[in-house]
Amino acid sequence: MIQILSFIHWNANPEIFHIGGLSVRWYGLLFASGLLIGYYIGEWMLKSEKVPQKWIESLFFYIIIATIVGARLGHVFFYGWDYYSQHPEEIIKVWHGGLASHGGALGIIIALWIHSRLITKRTVLWTLDRIAVPTALVGAFIRTGNLMNSEIYGIQTELPWGFIFERNGELVAKHPTQIYEALAYVISFIILMFLYKKTSAKNRPGLLLGAFFVLIFIARFFIEFIKEDQEAFEATMALNMGQWLSVPFVLIGALLIARAIKLPGKVFKNG
């Protein structure tokens, strides 16, 4: 039987171009593009609910800062504390790589709690429910950036769509877990957008956020089984760090969904 694919030899240059000491990389471009597209989707959603423009603009600013700071500190404390505790000057060097999605999620939650208290004067769940929808799509862009960096990939596979990451000196095919996660995030975005537009989810505090947590972090939990450890200390763990960090988000998400569904009224607008 002839295989449709016989492994993919991947040797993408993570740098698009450079001028002097300035380097423009695919990861940065995809990260920024994801945030920009996420902003326009969020803006469309909020404008449809007659939200003031100044709220939207300030919200975007809070999210950018929270995503970068939270994801960086998440990587520092969850994955690389042994190194960064000895080299604290490296913490601010985000351009060297090292961002953790769990830290980014925590950073956004904290930032939006502050934004809700200072700007909107609405509950933080009201804001988080709406931001959760475009955030799922942003995650797909970030994981595509990881693919362009030839990083955060999986264990060896015999599947015909396995990637041989030549830039890292790999000689055997590995699971392209960046693509698996990106696809999971796109599917999550589609489901969340359906819930937002076709059901009463946006009027049920915590439902969209809960669905986001369950969809994203269940996918993350299972994909981690075929992903290489990011740090050496994970080799002795029954579940790796990414899985342990995913469990609380899944549990919180399930509780938020259960709480929201108990509210009176129909979930489906026409059901």
Side-chain angles (χ1 to χ4, degrees), residues 145-159:
N146 294 137
L147 177 65
M148 299 305 294
N149 275 350
S150 296
E151 62 187 0
I152 317 180
Y153 47 82
I155 59 177
Q156 184 175 349
T157 179
E158 297 297 323
L159 293 171

mmCIF file with all atom_site columns, all heavy atoms in Angstrom, residues 145-159:
data_model
loop_
_atom_site.group_PDB
_atom_site.id
_atom_site.type_symbol
_atom_site.label_atom_id
_atom_site.label_alt_id
_atom_site.label_comp_id
_atom_site.label_asym_id
_atom_site.label_entity_id
_atom_site.label_seq_id
_atom_site.pdbx_PDB_ins_code
_atom_site.Cartn_x
_atom_site.Cartn_y
_atom_site.Cartn_z
_atom_site.occupancy
_atom_site.B_iso_or_equiv
_atom_site.pdbx_formal_charge
_atom_site.auth_seq_id
_atom_site.auth_comp_id
_atom_site.auth_asym_id
_atom_site.auth_atom_id
_atom_site.pdbx_PDB_model_num
ATOM 1   N N   . GLY A 1 145 ? 3.062  29.527 15.134 1.00 0.00 ? 145 GLY A N   1
ATOM 2   C CA  . GLY A 1 145 ? 4.364  30.147 15.351 1.00 0.00 ? 145 GLY A CA  1
ATOM 3   C C   . GLY A 1 145 ? 5.359  29.161 15.949 1.00 0.00 ? 145 GLY A C   1
ATOM 4   O O   . GLY A 1 145 ? 6.538  29.141 15.578 1.00 0.00 ? 145 GLY A O   1
ATOM 5   N N   . ASN A 1 146 ? 4.882  28.312 16.876 1.00 0.00 ? 146 ASN A N   1
ATOM 6   C CA  . ASN A 1 146 ? 5.744  27.269 17.440 1.00 0.00 ? 146 ASN A CA  1
ATOM 7   C C   . ASN A 1 146 ? 6.212  26.302 16.357 1.00 0.00 ? 146 ASN A C   1
ATOM 8   O O   . ASN A 1 146 ? 7.351  25.835 16.381 1.00 0.00 ? 146 ASN A O   1
ATOM 9   C CB  . ASN A 1 146 ? 4.994  26.481 18.527 1.00 0.00 ? 146 ASN A CB  1
ATOM 10  C CG  . ASN A 1 146 ? 4.651  27.303 19.747 1.00 0.00 ? 146 ASN A CG  1
ATOM 11  O OD1 . ASN A 1 146 ? 3.546  27.205 20.273 1.00 0.00 ? 146 ASN A OD1 1
ATOM 12  N ND2 . ASN A 1 146 ? 5.589  28.123 20.206 1.00 0.00 ? 146 ASN A ND2 1
ATOM 13  N N   . LEU A 1 147 ? 5.329  26.004 15.409 1.00 0.00 ? 147 LEU A N   1
ATOM 14  C CA  . LEU A 1 147 ? 5.715  25.128 14.292 1.00 0.00 ? 147 LEU A CA  1
ATOM 15  C C   . LEU A 1 147 ? 6.826  25.777 13.471 1.00 0.00 ? 147 LEU A C   1
ATOM 16  O O   . LEU A 1 147 ? 7.803  25.109 13.102 1.00 0.00 ? 147 LEU A O   1
ATOM 17  C CB  . LEU A 1 147 ? 4.502  24.854 13.408 1.00 0.00 ? 147 LEU A CB  1
ATOM 18  C CG  . LEU A 1 147 ? 4.767  24.014 12.150 1.00 0.00 ? 147 LEU A CG  1
ATOM 19  C CD1 . LEU A 1 147 ? 5.205  22.598 12.519 1.00 0.00 ? 147 LEU A CD1 1
ATOM 20  C CD2 . LEU A 1 147 ? 3.532  23.979 11.252 1.00 0.00 ? 147 LEU A CD2 1
ATOM 21  N N   . MET A 1 148 ? 6.703  27.070 13.186 1.00 0.00 ? 148 MET A N   1
ATOM 22  C CA  . MET A 1 148 ? 7.730  27.763 12.414 1.00 0.00 ? 148 MET A CA  1
ATOM 23  C C   . MET A 1 148 ? 9.055  27.824 13.168 1.00 0.00 ? 148 MET A C   1
ATOM 24  O O   . MET A 1 148 ? 10.117 27.918 12.554 1.00 0.00 ? 148 MET A O   1
ATOM 25  C CB  . MET A 1 148 ? 7.257  29.175 12.064 1.00 0.00 ? 148 MET A CB  1
ATOM 26  C CG  . MET A 1 148 ? 5.981  29.228 11.221 1.00 0.00 ? 148 MET A CG  1
ATOM 27  S SD  . MET A 1 148 ? 6.101  28.273 9.688  1.00 0.00 ? 148 MET A SD  1
ATOM 28  C CE  . MET A 1 148 ? 7.350  29.207 8.798  1.00 0.00 ? 148 MET A CE  1
ATOM 29  N N   . ASN A 1 149 ? 8.986  27.746 14.488 1.00 0.00 ? 149 ASN A N   1
ATOM 30  C CA  . ASN A 1 149 ? 10.205 27.733 15.308 1.00 0.00 ? 149 ASN A CA  1
ATOM 31  C C   . ASN A 1 149 ? 10.767 26.316 15.487 1.00 0.00 ? 149 ASN A C   1
ATOM 32  O O   . ASN A 1 149 ? 11.807 26.147 16.129 1.00 0.00 ? 149 ASN A O   1
ATOM 33  C CB  . ASN A 1 149 ? 9.923  28.315 16.693 1.00 0.00 ? 149 ASN A CB  1
ATOM 34  C CG  . ASN A 1 149 ? 10.039 29.826 16.724 1.00 0.00 ? 149 ASN A CG  1
ATOM 35  O OD1 . ASN A 1 149 ? 10.508 30.447 15.783 1.00 0.00 ? 149 ASN A OD1 1
ATOM 36  N ND2 . ASN A 1 149 ? 9.598  30.425 17.822 1.00 0.00 ? 149 ASN A ND2 1
ATOM 37  N N   . SER A 1 150 ? 10.042 25.316 14.971 1.00 0.00 ? 150 SER A N   1
ATOM 38  C CA  . SER A 1 150 ? 10.440 23.912 15.174 1.00 0.00 ? 150 SER A CA  1
ATOM 39  C C   . SER A 1 150 ? 10.599 23.599 16.654 1.00 0.00 ? 150 SER A C   1
ATOM 40  O O   . SER A 1 150 ? 11.592 23.004 17.087 1.00 0.00 ? 150 SER A O   1
ATOM 41  C CB  . SER A 1 150 ? 11.749 23.600 14.416 1.00 0.00 ? 150 SER A CB  1
ATOM 42  O OG  . SER A 1 150 ? 11.566 23.736 13.025 1.00 0.00 ? 150 SER A OG  1
ATOM 43  N N   . GLU A 1 151 ? 9.585  23.945 17.455 1.00 0.00 ? 151 GLU A N   1
ATOM 44  C CA  . GLU A 1 151 ? 9.655  23.745 18.896 1.00 0.00 ? 151 GLU A CA  1
ATOM 45  C C   . GLU A 1 151 ? 8.334  23.167 19.409 1.00 0.00 ? 151 GLU A C   1
ATOM 46  O O   . GLU A 1 151 ? 7.309  23.221 18.735 1.00 0.00 ? 151 GLU A O   1
ATOM 47  C CB  . GLU A 1 151 ? 9.939  25.075 19.604 1.00 0.00 ? 151 GLU A CB  1
ATOM 48  C CG  . GLU A 1 151 ? 8.842  26.121 19.401 1.00 0.00 ? 151 GLU A CG  1
ATOM 49  C CD  . GLU A 1 151 ? 9.195  27.480 19.965 1.00 0.00 ? 151 GLU A CD  1
ATOM 50  O OE1 . GLU A 1 151 ? 10.303 27.626 20.519 1.00 0.00 ? 151 GLU A OE1 1
ATOM 51  O OE2 . GLU A 1 151 ? 8.367  28.400 19.855 1.00 0.00 ? 151 GLU A OE2 1
ATOM 52  N N   . ILE A 1 152 ? 8.400  22.612 20.611 1.00 0.00 ? 152 ILE A N   1
ATOM 53  C CA  . ILE A 1 152 ? 7.230  22.048 21.296 1.00 0.00 ? 152 ILE A CA  1
ATOM 54  C C   . ILE A 1 152 ? 6.539  21.013 20.428 1.00 0.00 ? 152 ILE A C   1
ATOM 55  O O   . ILE A 1 152 ? 5.338  21.072 20.190 1.00 0.00 ? 152 ILE A O   1
ATOM 56  C CB  . ILE A 1 152 ? 6.226  23.154 21.733 1.00 0.00 ? 152 ILE A CB  1
ATOM 57  C CG1 . ILE A 1 152 ? 6.943  24.354 22.338 1.00 0.00 ? 152 ILE A CG1 1
ATOM 58  C CG2 . ILE A 1 152 ? 5.247  22.607 22.775 1.00 0.00 ? 152 ILE A CG2 1
ATOM 59  C CD1 . ILE A 1 152 ? 6.011  25.467 22.787 1.00 0.00 ? 152 ILE A CD1 1
ATOM 60  N N   . TYR A 1 153 ? 7.297  20.042 19.938 1.00 0.00 ? 153 TYR A N   1
ATOM 61  C CA  . TYR A 1 153 ? 6.687  18.995 19.124 1.00 0.00 ? 153 TYR A CA  1
ATOM 62  C C   . TYR A 1 153 ? 6.629  17.684 19.898 1.00 0.00 ? 153 TYR A C   1
ATOM 63  O O   . TYR A 1 153 ? 6.980  17.622 21.087 1.00 0.00 ? 153 TYR A O   1
ATOM 64  C CB  . TYR A 1 153 ? 7.426  18.815 17.798 1.00 0.00 ? 153 TYR A CB  1
ATOM 65  C CG  . TYR A 1 153 ? 8.927  18.745 17.880 1.00 0.00 ? 153 TYR A CG  1
ATOM 66  C CD1 . TYR A 1 153 ? 9.573  17.566 18.207 1.00 0.00 ? 153 TYR A CD1 1
ATOM 67  C CD2 . TYR A 1 153 ? 9.714  19.871 17.606 1.00 0.00 ? 153 TYR A CD2 1
ATOM 68  C CE1 . TYR A 1 153 ? 10.959 17.488 18.253 1.00 0.00 ? 153 TYR A CE1 1
ATOM 69  C CE2 . TYR A 1 153 ? 11.096 19.810 17.647 1.00 0.00 ? 153 TYR A CE2 1
ATOM 70  C CZ  . TYR A 1 153 ? 11.714 18.615 17.975 1.00 0.00 ? 153 TYR A CZ  1
ATOM 71  O OH  . TYR A 1 153 ? 13.086 18.547 18.019 1.00 0.00 ? 153 TYR A OH  1
ATOM 72  N N   . GLY A 1 154 ? 6.172  16.634 19.220 1.00 0.00 ? 154 GLY A N   1
ATOM 73  C CA  . GLY A 1 154 ? 5.862  15.403 19.910 1.00 0.00 ? 154 GLY A CA  1
ATOM 74  C C   . GLY A 1 154 ? 6.943  14.336 19.844 1.00 0.00 ? 154 GLY A C   1
ATOM 75  O O   . GLY A 1 154 ? 8.055  14.563 19.353 1.00 0.00 ? 154 GLY A O   1
ATOM 76  N N   . ILE A 1 155 ? 6.575  13.161 20.318 1.00 0.00 ? 155 ILE A N   1
ATOM 77  C CA  . ILE A 1 155 ? 7.481  12.023 20.336 1.00 0.00 ? 155 ILE A CA  1
ATOM 78  C C   . ILE A 1 155 ? 7.503  11.369 18.953 1.00 0.00 ? 155 ILE A C   1
ATOM 79  O O   . ILE A 1 155 ? 6.748  11.739 18.064 1.00 0.00 ? 155 ILE A O   1
ATOM 80  C CB  . ILE A 1 155 ? 7.047  11.000 21.409 1.00 0.00 ? 155 ILE A CB  1
ATOM 81  C CG1 . ILE A 1 155 ? 5.618  10.504 21.118 1.00 0.00 ? 155 ILE A CG1 1
ATOM 82  C CG2 . ILE A 1 155 ? 7.139  11.621 22.792 1.00 0.00 ? 155 ILE A CG2 1
ATOM 83  C CD1 . ILE A 1 155 ? 5.124  9.441  22.078 1.00 0.00 ? 155 ILE A CD1 1
ATOM 84  N N   . GLN A 1 156 ? 8.357  10.377 18.809 1.00 0.00 ? 156 GLN A N   1
ATOM 85  C CA  . GLN A 1 156 ? 8.514  9.708  17.515 1.00 0.00 ? 156 GLN A CA  1
ATOM 86  C C   . GLN A 1 156 ? 7.214  9.048  17.076 1.00 0.00 ? 156 GLN A C   1
ATOM 87  O O   . GLN A 1 156 ? 6.440  8.535  17.892 1.00 0.00 ? 156 GLN A O   1
ATOM 88  C CB  . GLN A 1 156 ? 9.624  8.657  17.604 1.00 0.00 ? 156 GLN A CB  1
ATOM 89  C CG  . GLN A 1 156 ? 9.925  7.961  16.274 1.00 0.00 ? 156 GLN A CG  1
ATOM 90  C CD  . GLN A 1 156 ? 11.104 7.020  16.370 1.00 0.00 ? 156 GLN A CD  1
ATOM 91  O OE1 . GLN A 1 156 ? 11.842 7.021  17.363 1.00 0.00 ? 156 GLN A OE1 1
ATOM 92  N NE2 . GLN A 1 156 ? 11.305 6.211  15.346 1.00 0.00 ? 156 GLN A NE2 1
ATOM 93  N N   . THR A 1 157 ? 6.942  9.085  15.778 1.00 0.00 ? 157 THR A N   1
ATOM 94  C CA  . THR A 1 157 ? 5.750  8.478  15.225 1.00 0.00 ? 157 THR A CA  1
ATOM 95  C C   . THR A 1 157 ? 6.059  7.803  13.893 1.00 0.00 ? 157 THR A C   1
ATOM 96  O O   . THR A 1 157 ? 6.987  8.217  13.185 1.00 0.00 ? 157 THR A O   1
ATOM 97  C CB  . THR A 1 157 ? 4.635  9.531  15.011 1.00 0.00 ? 157 THR A CB  1
ATOM 98  O OG1 . THR A 1 157 ? 3.481  8.893  14.448 1.00 0.00 ? 157 THR A OG1 1
ATOM 99  C CG2 . THR A 1 157 ? 5.089  10.630 14.060 1.00 0.00 ? 157 THR A CG2 1
ATOM 100 N N   . GLU A 1 158 ? 5.276  6.774  13.557 1.00 0.00 ? 158 GLU A N   1
ATOM 101 C CA  . GLU A 1 158 ? 5.365  6.131  12.258 1.00 0.00 ? 158 GLU A CA  1
ATOM 102 C C   . GLU A 1 158 ? 4.259  6.604  11.327 1.00 0.00 ? 158 GLU A C   1
ATOM 103 O O   . GLU A 1 158 ? 4.163  6.152  10.184 1.00 0.00 ? 158 GLU A O   1
ATOM 104 C CB  . GLU A 1 158 ? 5.276  4.604  12.426 1.00 0.00 ? 158 GLU A CB  1
ATOM 105 C CG  . GLU A 1 158 ? 6.412  3.994  13.232 1.00 0.00 ? 158 GLU A CG  1
ATOM 106 C CD  . GLU A 1 158 ? 7.764  4.194  12.553 1.00 0.00 ? 158 GLU A CD  1
ATOM 107 O OE1 . GLU A 1 158 ? 7.813  4.131  11.305 1.00 0.00 ? 158 GLU A OE1 1
ATOM 108 O OE2 . GLU A 1 158 ? 8.759  4.427  13.269 1.00 0.00 ? 158 GLU A OE2 1
ATOM 109 N N   . LEU A 1 159 ? 3.418  7.505  11.819 1.00 0.00 ? 159 LEU A N   1
ATOM 110 C CA  . LEU A 1 159 ? 2.323  8.023  11.003 1.00 0.00 ? 159 LEU A CA  1
ATOM 111 C C   . LEU A 1 159 ? 2.879  8.812  9.821  1.00 0.00 ? 159 LEU A C   1
ATOM 112 O O   . LEU A 1 159 ? 3.886  9.515  9.954  1.00 0.00 ? 159 LEU A O   1
ATOM 113 C CB  . LEU A 1 159 ? 1.405  8.910  11.842 1.00 0.00 ? 159 LEU A CB  1
ATOM 114 C CG  . LEU A 1 159 ? 0.617  8.168  12.933 1.00 0.00 ? 159 LEU A CG  1
ATOM 115 C CD1 . LEU A 1 159 ? -0.084 9.160  13.852 1.00 0.00 ? 159 LEU A CD1 1
ATOM 116 C CD2 . LEU A 1 159 ? -0.388 7.209  12.315 1.00 0.00 ? 159 LEU A CD2 1
#
